[in-house]
Amino acid sequence: MHSRGFTLVELLVVMTISAILIAAAVPAFQWTIARNRISDGTNQLLSHLEYARMEASRRGSTVSLCRTLDANATPPVCSSAATAGADGNDWAVGWVVFEKVAPNFDDSNVEAGDQVIFRQQAMGAVAAPGVRVMIHSSSPGAEFVAYQPRGGGGIVGGGQTFAIDYGTVLTPISADRAITTITLTNAARCIPITLLGSLRVARTAAGACL
């Protein structure tokens, strides 16, 4: 039997239908990527905050998290400085969890003798322009959370909120971008920390944390 193949019209019809299907699928695919990246960023930060709280109680000493521009440094340096592609209160550049060791007392910095417990690397390439996870804190300039042992005074850094979103890096870069000035996407999540140190994950409404 002789096969006549496809005509030009048939190929054009198939290509047109394929293009329509792809165009319809791309937004859904992008939404899935954003939702997954936001979920990953939220889960990592939430788990490390809870871990620091638990370790402070278990070790009987203060355990802190702080934003750092280089989690691999020895020792890492806590920083609230802006950098290329990241605001000064964007924790997506990385953070460290560390135990304060006597006689050290500065909960906001890693001092000689303190024990680094965990190093969180940057979440994606931090460079402008770009699309990546952004984790903004509501306390610009004080980029740390310190859990003290039970009976030792609670938490330093309570009362703030972290907003986790995925999208194009905000420009121009700011040293202290307030999260109340950021319009969050519908997929964004927030982590409010109470004054007592309890945590929860909140959704967004009208572009802001609930």
Side-chain angles (χ1 to χ4, degrees):
M1 180 182 293
H2 179 68
S3 177
R4 68 180 182 86
F6 296 101
T7 66
L8 179 59
V9 172
E10 289 172 332
L11 288 173
L12 289 175
V13 170
V14 171
M15 292 174 64
T16 300
I17 294 175
S18 298
I20 292 173
L21 293 175
I22 291 173
V26 166
F29 183 63
Q30 292 175 332
W31 172 260
T32 299
I33 291 176
R35 187 172 57 186
N36 288 342
R37 298 287 174 82
I38 290 169
S39 178
D40 288 345
T42 302
N43 290 338
Q44 287 191 54
L45 180 58
L46 181 65
S47 65
H48 293 160
L49 285 166
E50 291 177 334
Y51 178 66
R53 185 183 187 187
M54 178 186 68
E55 285 297 290
S57 178
R58 187 181 72 85
R59 295 169 182 249
S61 56
T62 298
V63 175
S64 298
L65 293 85
C66 78
R67 174 186 183 270
T68 181
L69 300 179
D70 184 3
N72 292 324
T74 305
V77 177
C78 298
S79 175
S80 59
T83 186
D87 296 324
N89 59 322
D90 183 356
W91 282 50
V93 296
W95 63 80
V96 292
V97 182
F98 58 98
E99 177 189 6
K100 299 302 299 181
V101 177
N104 297 341
F105 63 89
D106 186 355
D107 297 342
S108 66
N109 284 295
V110 182
E111 301 175 274
D114 288 345
Q115 181 178 355
V116 176
I117 303 172
F118 190 90
R119 301 171 186 263
Q120 172 62 51
Q121 308 300 320
M123 296 184 178
V126 179
V131 177
R132 62 169 175 81
V133 171
M134 290 171 282
I135 305 176
H136 286 90
S137 78
S138 64
S139 58
E143 302 308 326
F144 76 100
V145 177
Y147 287 96
Q148 297 176 344
R150 185 173 300 175
I155 177 176
V156 179
Q160 70 170 300
T161 297
F162 287 94
I164 302 94
D165 206 350
Y166 180 81
T168 303
V169 172
L170 303 174
T171 55
I173 300 304
S174 172
D176 56 356
R177 190 184 303 275
I179 64 172
T180 53
T181 66
I182 302 172
T183 301
L184 301 170
T185 67
N186 292 334
R189 293 293 180 267
C190 303
I191 301 178
I193 307 176
T194 70
L195 294 175
L196 297 178
S198 61
L199 306 163
R200 66 183 177 90
V201 177
R203 296 180 179 272
T204 62
C209 293
L210 289 175

